[in-house]
């Protein structure tokens, strides 16, 4: 059986949602002939992301990036994004952000349609980074909260391990496993929010969890805006970051339609809202 047929079969199994079978076929392709083919490693990285094999996906994505080399950044864009997705669940948030921003910058430069999807991931990673800081701050303020959250996390891991065991015993399929894990994580997050609410003290503002609203975030730099402008499509950006983008590319970051400076309109209402929020929440500048 040729290398191409292994890879083609892997692609078919992936499209059918049969990720474990796809992973095995990609592995066969790599073992046979494709140790130097970055595309097969990238395909297996994506498959392992579907299987939530974060370390395996990380290893494959790094290998794909290495094989693509610095001269083929456009082709390596997805591998950088896969690496970011593998790093975030392992709580390597800083590196995940670096990789995702690299992929995002490549998308903007090449006008790739994945820019919006990667932008959403970067915002998620930024939120995770901030939440990690908030978790550390709140747990330092209250040791009882830290204990309760530790117990919650331990229960979540036990529940996820039980789901994984049922999957390995073929009691549930891949779709069922993913749905159950997603539901467990959603329930745990809701419990965590309720626990933190219960530990809040109205007389002590520092006990309240701090959150930066999504509407304040610039879609290019993912930093807090202070001088937003709006494009003809109705999307607001920080003025300086959008000016840099127009100067470099001459187009709208999302639609990739031609865009000029004189087409931008100051978003006064958003600017006032951002200013008011920052006046009351000075910590947000470090987001």
């Amino acid at each position: 059986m040729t290398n191409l047929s292994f890879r083609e079969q892997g692609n078919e199994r992936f499209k059918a949602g049969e990720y474990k079978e796809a992973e095995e076929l990609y592995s066969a392709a790599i073992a046979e002939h494709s140790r130097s083919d970055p595309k097969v490693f990238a395909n297996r990285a994506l498959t392992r992301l579907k299987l939530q094999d974060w370390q395996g996906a990380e290893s494959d994505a790094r290998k794909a990036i290495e094989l693509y080399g610095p001269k083929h950044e456009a082709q390596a864009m997805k591998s950088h994004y896969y690496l970011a997705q593998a790093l975030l669940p392992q709580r390597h948030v800083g590196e995940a952000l670096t990789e995702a921003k690299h992929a995002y910058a490549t998308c903007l430069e090449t006008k790739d349609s994945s820019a919006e999807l990667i932008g959403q991931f970067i915002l998620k990673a930024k939120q995770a980074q901030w939440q990690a800081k908030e978790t550390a701050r709140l747990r330092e303020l209250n040791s009882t909260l830290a204990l309760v959250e530790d117990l919650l996390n331990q229960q979540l891991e036990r529940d996820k391990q039980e789901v994984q065991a049922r999957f390995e015993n073929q009691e549930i399929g891949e779709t069922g496993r993913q749905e159950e894990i997603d539901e467990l994580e959603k329930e745990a997050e809701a419990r965590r929010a309720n626990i933190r609410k219960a530990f809040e003290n109205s007389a002590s503002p520092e006990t309240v969890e701090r959150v930066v609203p999504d509407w304040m975030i610039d879609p290019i730099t993912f930093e807090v805006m202070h001088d937003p402008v709006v494009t003809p499509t109705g999307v607001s950006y920080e003025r300086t970051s959008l000016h840099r983008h127009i100067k470099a590319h001459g187009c709208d970051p999302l639609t990739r339609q031609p865009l000029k400076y004189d087409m931008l309109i100051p978003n006064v209402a958003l600017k006032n809202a951002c200013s008011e929020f920052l006046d009351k929440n000075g910590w947000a500048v470090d987001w």
Side-chain angles (χ1 to χ4, degrees), residues 72 154 213 225:
H72 299 91
Q154 290 167 16
M225 292 186 287

Side-chain angles (χ1 to χ4, degrees), residues 224-230 237-240 266-267 270-271 274:
V224 173
M225 292 186 287
H226 66 90
D227 186 17
V229 292
V230 63
Y237 299 85
E238 176 64 23
R239 183 189 299 273
T240 54
N267 192 333
L270 180 56
K271 181 177 182 178
C274 289

